[in-house]
Amino acid sequence: ALIGQPAPDTPLPPLAGLDLPGLEPSRFAGRVTLVNVWASWCAPCRQEHPLLMRLAQDGRVGIAGLNYKDKPENARRFLGELGNPYSAIGVDDSGRAAIEWGVYGVPETFLVGKDGRIAWKHVGPFTPEIVAGTLMPEIEKALAAQ
């Protein structure tokens, strides 16, 4: 429903204990960003995480995390075990920001274009096929857009 709309202005505080900024939608302008909604208690989030780690190596795209209704110590443990693909992590302990983003559940991922608008959304965990066949072409389109 938010495709083509500006990314919701939902600044979120950073995940305590990590040296990363929180989620600040105003920082999306001028670059292509994936906003990944995740939680340590989410089994499919664990399943897709290696794909996010690979995507993080593509310097053309930033990955921001929206940590959904999670305990900070569990979120840090999750990232400590699996690695951290995020350049920013905002904590949504109440779930209010997720509502603004139109999140149905975790994981969900939004592609925000350089214009700060939502270009694409994926509900559920990424698979290698979705990344190669759908996400990467959407990223290429977003990178090419003025």
Side-chain angles (χ1 to χ4, degrees), residues 56-74:
Q57 295 172 1
D58 185 335
R60 302 173 303 159
V61 178
I63 304 178
L66 191 157
N67 186 236
Y68 179 73
K69 293 186 176 181
D70 209 351
K71 291 191 166 95
E73 61 273 15
N74 293 344

Side-chain angles (χ1 to χ4, degrees), residues 92-108:
D92 185 14
D93 53 6
S94 70
R96 295 289 313 149
I99 290 169
E100 295 290 322
W101 281 83
V103 171
Y104 297 103
V106 289
E108 286 190 23

